[in-house]
Amino acid sequence: FFQAEDGIRDTSVTGVQTCALPIFCDLVEPCDMFINNAQAGYAQTELLFEIYKLWKGQVGKKIINISTMMVSEPVSPIPGIEMIAYRNQKIALEEAHRQLAHLHDWPKLCLVRPGAVATQPGQISPRPYARVDEWAETLIRILDTGPDLEINEVSLGVNYP
């Protein structure tokens, strides 16, 4: 599989720039699974559409879109303009995901909503966070359902006391 964060790296660039999309798509094309976790602006939604078009009609391909549980809240539960922007970017991703999933075609789509997962080194918060390794191992077990079942959406986060 290929994860968006593993894409084209340049210290002066955040996310995948539009001019890099053809190169990026060439890297992803032979893969069977794409984990879409781009973090810059609306790049994640743009990548979803590009990879979907690239893989349209190809049986066995799957796109996993990483969103956030934050979208279920009426406003961002974390203060700051950056978090408001982040929440709205994830809302756009989820709407695009829903529209494409409604086409009932390949590639298959899965939406994953992490909640309170410590993904940054040294991340601290007044609320507890799930360890990213434990979270990822659990998610892999959930998604590895075999050929007879399909997971369309998963919300997985920390268990608050």
Side-chain angles (χ1 to χ4, degrees), residues 89-129:
Q89 292 157 9
K90 294 298 188 174
I91 289 170
L93 171 71
E94 288 202 16
E95 182 57 27
H97 176 99
R98 270 190 288 282
Q99 295 291 322
L100 293 173
H102 190 68
L103 298 176
H104 304 289
D105 195 3
W106 291 92
K108 296 299 181 184
L109 302 175
C110 179
L111 183 67
V112 176
R113 290 188 194 97
V117 180
T119 57
Q120 304 300 317
Q123 189 170 351
I124 55 173
S125 169
R127 300 178 356 173
Y129 274 84

Side-chain angles (χ1 to χ4, degrees), residues 16-22 46:
V16 177
Q17 292 184 327
T18 305
C19 62
L21 278 174
E46 293 172 21

Side-chain angles (χ1 to χ4, degrees), residues 18-110:
T18 305
C19 62
L21 278 174
I23 298 166
F24 188 81
C25 288
D26 286 346
L27 294 170
V28 173
E29 201 282 325
C31 300
D32 292 322
M33 181 184 298
F34 175 63
I35 300 174
N36 187 6
N37 195 26
Q39 295 297 316
Y42 290 88
Q44 194 174 10
T45 303
E46 293 172 21
L47 279 170
L48 168 59
F49 281 113
E50 291 302 314
I51 301 303
Y52 190 91
K53 288 187 290 186
L54 180 69
W55 285 355
K56 186 163 177 32
Q58 294 185 42
V59 175
K61 304 279 190 174
K62 185 169 196 159
I63 301 171
I64 298 175
N65 292 302
I66 307 295
S67 183
T68 176
M69 285 183 172
M70 187 186 300
V71 298
S72 64
E73 302 289 333
V75 296
S76 174
I78 302 171
I81 192 77
E82 294 84 8
M83 293 313 296
I84 293 170
Y86 175 78
R87 179 181 174 276
N88 281 285
Q89 292 157 9
K90 294 298 188 174
I91 289 170
L93 171 71
E94 288 202 16
E95 182 57 27
H97 176 99
R98 270 190 288 282
Q99 295 291 322
L100 293 173
H102 190 68
L103 298 176
H104 304 289
D105 195 3
W106 291 92
K108 296 299 181 184
L109 302 175
C110 179

